Amino acid sequence: MVGIATALTGFAGLEVRRSEEDWVILIRRADFTADPVFATFHGKELNAQDIARLLPHWASLQWAQVPANMLSTSESCAQDGQYQVSLRAAPGSSKLHIEAIDAFRRFMAQR
């Protein structure tokens, strides 16, 4: 399984969407600075192995629930080294935080 990567403006983050899923992965530097490595992924298909290069400790991440806000009603985040990863349910999704985390783990386990 793969997702399509989009580098955010100014290489501030990398969003990975999978067409068959109602959640997305957002990876940013923990210090919120730009990262040119995101440009190399823009518009390309990423698989779990590609994401694991940025998040080598994906299986043991400690997730924190982000309070609902204008941008997201179901979001969890964690930090792996220099990167922060957020899992967000798509707008209109009824997916719970733990369901998005479980889906992320299943996706990443397919490496």
Side-chain angles (χ1 to χ4, degrees), residues 14-101:
L14 185 70
E15 183 178 83
V16 181
R17 290 185 179 274
R18 298 179 54 224
S19 61
E20 67 275 10
E21 294 289 349
D22 61 349
W23 58 279
V24 298
I25 302 167
L26 175 62
I27 302 171
R28 297 176 282 205
R29 287 183 50 91
D31 62 6
F32 296 104
T33 60
D35 193 332
V37 76
F38 296 150
T40 63
F41 295 120
H42 183 72
K44 296 185 176 161
E45 291 184 342
L46 265 68
N47 59 33
Q49 188 168 346
D50 297 322
I51 294 170
R53 287 187 195 112
L54 299 172
L55 306 172
H57 305 103
W58 64 267
S60 60
L61 293 174
Q62 298 298 308
W63 295 97
Q65 185 173 335
V66 176
N69 57 61
M70 289 176 38
L71 300 176
S72 174
T73 56
S74 183
E75 180 178 355
S76 299
C77 68
Q79 188 168 334
D80 189 351
Q82 67 180 342
Y83 292 106
Q84 176 188 39
V85 59
S86 296
L87 303 178
R88 295 181 178 165
S93 170
S94 62
K95 191 173 286 300
L96 302 174
H97 294 269
I98 192 65
E99 292 171 326
I101 293 167

